[in-house]
Amino acid sequence: DGGDASVKRGKPMRLGVALRAARPWSFTATVSPVLLGSALAFQVEDARSATLLLLSLITTISVHAAGNLMNTLFDFRNGMDTPSSSDLTLVNGELTDPQVSRLIKLAYAVAAAAALPLC
């Protein structure tokens, strides 16, 4: 029937759990270089655009989130996650494999949509 098992069980994905799975505490590694590059562009070229900065941040954070989610998914599939892992959303059953797969697709779709005007 092609339906997701978690949907059949009536287990909806909670936003807070989805965000935790994306590991937002690691996003400073993405935000810092974008902000630095924007500051340099303003200083050197006197170029500033809140729109370009926002689109750049959305793109890079979304790609970073997708990478974190992929790491979580493949560590889980390969038995690498343990109770001491940094993300236990799959291990503890808070999210299912198909839910994390959908989150990865969504994160890449958001990144592509935000990047398109930057091209």
Side-chain angles (χ1 to χ4, degrees), residues 7 66 71:
V7 173
N71 177 271

PDB file of all heavy atoms in Angstrom, residues 7 66 71:
ATOM      1  N   VAL A   7       2.875   6.474  10.111  1.00  0.00           N
ATOM      2  CA  VAL A   7       1.578   7.108   9.889  1.00  0.00           C
ATOM      3  C   VAL A   7       0.475   6.116  10.199  1.00  0.00           C
ATOM      4  O   VAL A   7      -0.523   6.454  10.810  1.00  0.00           O
ATOM      5  CB  VAL A   7       1.470   7.639   8.435  1.00  0.00           C
ATOM      6  CG1 VAL A   7       0.066   8.131   8.158  1.00  0.00           C
ATOM      7  CG2 VAL A   7       2.486   8.736   8.196  1.00  0.00           C
ATOM      8  N   ALA A  66      20.544  18.850   6.647  1.00  0.00           N
ATOM      9  CA  ALA A  66      20.413  17.623   5.855  1.00  0.00           C
ATOM     10  C   ALA A  66      21.606  16.701   6.095  1.00  0.00           C
ATOM     11  O   ALA A  66      21.440  15.480   6.243  1.00  0.00           O
ATOM     12  CB  ALA A  66      20.293  17.957   4.369  1.00  0.00           C
ATOM     13  N   ASN A  71      23.727  11.788   8.553  1.00  0.00           N
ATOM     14  CA  ASN A  71      24.644  11.129   9.477  1.00  0.00           C
ATOM     15  C   ASN A  71      23.876  10.307  10.494  1.00  0.00           C
ATOM     16  O   ASN A  71      24.221   9.146  10.766  1.00  0.00           O
ATOM     17  CB  ASN A  71      25.518  12.178  10.164  1.00  0.00           C
ATOM     18  CG  ASN A  71      26.441  11.568  11.183  1.00  0.00           C
ATOM     19  OD1 ASN A  71      26.071  11.432  12.345  1.00  0.00           O
ATOM     20  ND2 ASN A  71      27.632  11.199  10.750  1.00  0.00           N
TER      21      ASN A  71
END
